Amino acid sequence: MIELDGRRLQRCEEGHLYMKEKLHFMEDYGCNLDALFDALTEWSSEEEIRIYDSEWMDERIKAVFLDAVNENKDLIIVLTNGTAMR
């Protein structure tokens, strides 16, 4: 399981850098919504991504996660509101 802090996903630019590090995306990750969708839908092993404080997320990033989970059967996304990461 990978844990993300939704507060770090409030702005796209900073959010992409944070996700690149936490999700171990390749060095050539494009840091945009299309690249995020591609990276998430190409994930080839089952993985759960738990996003705490998801109410703080940029809605565009949240939409990409939700679209990607519909495309990739190996991807599990859990959004939680009001729960701080420990």
Side-chain angles (χ1 to χ4, degrees), residues 2-85:
I2 299 170
E3 296 179 337
L4 296 177
D5 181 350
R7 292 176 187 262
R8 305 253 338 245
L9 301 173
Q10 292 181 54
R11 292 190 173 100
C12 274
E13 186 174 312
E14 293 89 358
H16 284 291
L17 296 175
Y18 173 67
M19 289 184 291
K20 181 178 178 179
E21 175 188 333
K22 293 289 286 184
L23 299 174
H24 307 288
F25 289 156
M26 301 296 288
E27 193 61 36
D28 63 350
Y29 170 67
C31 291
N32 61 59
L33 297 172
D34 289 334
L36 176 60
F37 181 81
D38 291 344
L40 293 172
T41 57
E42 292 171 0
W43 216 298
S44 60
S45 60
E46 188 171 297
E47 188 66 65
E48 179 178 323
I49 300 172
R50 186 173 295 267
I51 305 173
Y52 294 94
D53 294 323
S54 63
E55 70 273 18
W56 292 92
M57 290 174 70
D58 181 292
E59 289 299 320
R60 297 168 295 171
I61 294 174
K62 188 182 292 185
V64 170
F65 273 97
L66 296 176
D67 288 344
V69 79
N70 288 323
E71 292 290 321
N72 186 345
K73 65 179 177 52
D74 292 322
L75 186 61
I76 301 165
I77 303 295
V78 179
L79 302 175
T80 65
N81 293 330
T83 307
M85 286 183 63

